[in-house]
Amino acid sequence: MTMGNDNLVVVAGAGGFIGGNLISTLRTQGHKRIRGVDIKPLQEWYQHFDDVENLSLDLNLREDCEIASKDAYEVYNLAANMGGMGFIERNKALCMLSVLINTHMLQAALKYGVKRFFYSSSACVYNGDKQKAFEAPSLKEADAYPALAEDGYGWEKLFSERMCRHFHEDFGLYTRVARFHNVYGPWGTWYGGREKAPAAICRKVIEAKVSGKHEIDIWGSGNQTRSFMFIEDCIKGINLIMNSEVLEPINLGSSEAVTINQLVDIVEEIAGIKLRRTYDLSAPKGVNGRNSDNTLIQKYLNWEPNTTLRIGLEKTYRWIYDQYMARERGEAGVIRESAAAR
Ligand code: NAD
């Protein structure tokens, strides 16, 4: 199925990290009709573009989902209550309430005859018992069952994945689901409590560099293993999966696993600095080990996210550094506004 560039594409969660980057890419691909929707007021969106229809709506509400989906050909649902471990461990009910967003978006998609629907799930759906070892077990798609997802956030994702599946099976709606593994990169959350490890570590290293206080606190023992996917790979993967015949939820993540200590090593190298590390063992730290098994995505798409962590972190560090310095100078809005003008 090919899509003309004049068909309306809707991105829910457009004011967020991945939604903003997706819209940026869709524009460069020549899409002429894009509608971005987010609950935040426009001035708080990480990126927004003047040639896009930007709507502030609460997608918990069915009627707002209908406004968002009317006349849409394609819908990407990236809207959710979401954050790093510190956020999802302390906001389980809020995370589970995202079920309203996806459920109402699916119903609205059906009502308006949307041709294709994408849902962003997460590696947090995987069974916790399979993530106890620090040696980063690679999680294959079948490892989500028997279900023992991350409490709150992960259960909502697992439920919403199945909702997509049954809207496809029972109502014939074209749905595609990707399980993202830790995404990082420019235009993401880097302070405020919802940021994830790569952005938090870049910010802490920058703070240490700027303040001259050469110390860093790390959540947990630093031995937890994870993989991190650069945003450009995430956007490419979303595009490939939306256009594929992959009917089941599929991993979209990097398979380059590192410990949190190794992540700090890389950021220190980029910054040209060495810090004294302290470990906060009482901080939220998530599962011990997690990596993406990419057998299925290789089989179906003959591709997997392949930007090295070093390259992706260099770009991310530079972007956060610029944001940090602009903020220090009291110019927080400058960089965001320049995106609107691009
Ligand atoms: P984000 O927080 O930057 O973006 C999500 C956006 O959804 C926010 O701008 C938020 O305001 C919006 N939103 C929340 N509630 C809404 C509502 N009721 N109505 C309208 N908009 C609402 O997060 P992100 O990193 O861009 O994540 C996008 C999607 O990918 C989410 O579904 C998330 O769960 C999933 N995901 C992300 C990662 C990651 O590492 N970033 C990993 C796994 C899954």
Side-chain angles (χ1 to χ4, degrees):
M1 197 188 305
T2 53
M3 189 185 140
N5 280 352
D6 291 330
N7 289 321
L8 178 65
V9 184
V10 170
V11 177
F17 168 42
I18 301 173
N21 279 289
L22 177 62
I23 290 184
S24 173
T25 301
L26 289 168
R27 287 170 72 251
T28 59
Q29 287 173 343
H31 286 275
K32 304 254 175 342
R33 294 179 64 211
I34 303 171
R35 178 184 294 153
V37 185
D38 204 285
I39 195 169
K40 295 187 290 202
L42 193 57
Q43 65 273 18
E44 288 176 24
W45 294 24
Y46 296 157
Q47 303 186 70
H48 62 83
F49 304 93
D50 295 338
D51 53 1
V52 166
E53 182 188 356
N54 300 305
L55 300 180
S56 289
L57 295 170
D58 180 358
L59 298 175
N60 286 313
L61 307 174
R62 187 166 169 175
E63 51 278 24
D64 282 16
C65 290
E66 292 186 357
I67 297 168
S69 307
K70 191 163 185 300
D71 301 326
Y73 186 93
E74 275 194 342
V75 170
Y76 295 85
N77 178 18
L78 301 164
N81 279 304
M82 121 97 191
M85 275 320 298
F87 179 82
I88 66 176
E89 279 199 4
R90 293 175 184 131
N91 294 278
K92 292 180 185 142
L94 197 59
C95 289
M96 292 204 86
L97 280 170
S98 297
V99 75
L100 294 174
I101 302 177
N102 196 56
T103 305
H104 289 146
M105 285 300 290
L106 282 168
Q107 288 180 307
L110 259 195
K111 175 167 175 173
Y112 288 110
V114 166
K115 296 289 180 295
R116 304 198 275 189
F117 186 97
F118 179 91
Y119 176 64
S120 48
S121 184
S122 162
C124 288
V125 299
Y126 285 114
N127 185 315
D129 280 348
K130 299 191 176 167
Q131 303 172 72
K132 287 189 168 157
F134 285 100
E135 297 82 46
S138 289
L139 296 160
K140 53 185 184 312
E141 286 75 359
D143 291 332
Y145 296 98
L148 186 57
E150 177 81 41
D151 200 6
Y153 177 78
W155 278 103
E156 188 279 323
K157 291 289 186 196
L158 197 61
F159 178 89
S160 288
E161 281 188 356
R162 292 193 82 87
M163 187 79 100
C164 289
R165 168 178 165 176
H166 295 303
F167 266 65
H168 171 73
E169 289 175 358
D170 295 359
F171 303 140
L173 184 68
Y174 178 115
T175 55
R176 297 292 181 266
V177 176
R179 291 179 181 155
F180 299 167
H181 291 242
N182 298 307
V183 192
Y184 71 98
W187 304 106
T189 312
W190 60 277
Y191 70 97
R194 288 195 187 220
E195 64 280 14
K196 300 185 120 198
I201 289 168
C202 286
R203 190 202 66 236
K204 288 178 183 182
V205 170
I206 292 165
E207 273 165 1
K209 203 176 157 102
V210 171
S211 69
K213 203 168 161 230
H214 288 184
E215 290 173 358
I216 186 166
D217 72 295
I218 294 167
W219 286 11
S221 64
N223 296 323
Q224 316 92 286
T225 39
R226 294 288 185 281
S227 73
F228 300 96
M229 167 169 56
F230 190 52
I231 183 67
E232 288 171 16
D233 287 335
C234 178
I235 302 300
K236 179 171 177 182
I238 292 173
N239 214 318
L240 289 172
I241 291 166
M242 182 64 136
N243 290 293
S244 75
E245 292 312 314
V246 184
L247 293 177
E248 68 262 45
I250 186 167
N251 278 336
L252 181 56
S254 161
S255 55
E256 181 190 351
V258 288
T259 65
I260 298 299
N261 274 325
Q262 288 168 329
L263 183 66
V264 178
D265 291 342
I266 299 175
V267 179
E268 283 181 344
E269 250 175 62
I270 293 168
I273 194 174
K274 265 282 171 208
L275 305 175
R276 198 171 62 78
R277 301 180 187 185
T278 51
Y279 296 93
D280 181 355
L281 300 179
S282 63
K285 57 190 181 311
V287 295
N288 289 337
R290 171 185 290 167
N291 192 11
S292 179
D293 181 315
N294 286 346
T295 312
L296 206 61
I297 194 168
Q298 276 289 3
K299 180 177 145 206
Y300 280 124
L301 304 176
N302 199 21
W303 173 84
E304 65 181 292
N306 51 18
T307 305
T308 63
L309 190 53
R310 170 74 200 216
I311 297 282
L313 278 175
E314 276 174 14
K315 295 183 184 175
T316 309
Y317 179 89
R318 224 173 292 132
W319 180 82
I320 295 178
Y321 186 86
D322 289 346
Q323 296 284 319
Y324 185 95
M325 296 316 279
R327 208 158 166 258
E328 288 282 286
R329 294 190 300 267
E331 299 166 12
V334 173
I335 293 175
R336 185 178 295 138
E337 276 156 28
S338 69
R342 275 189 314 201

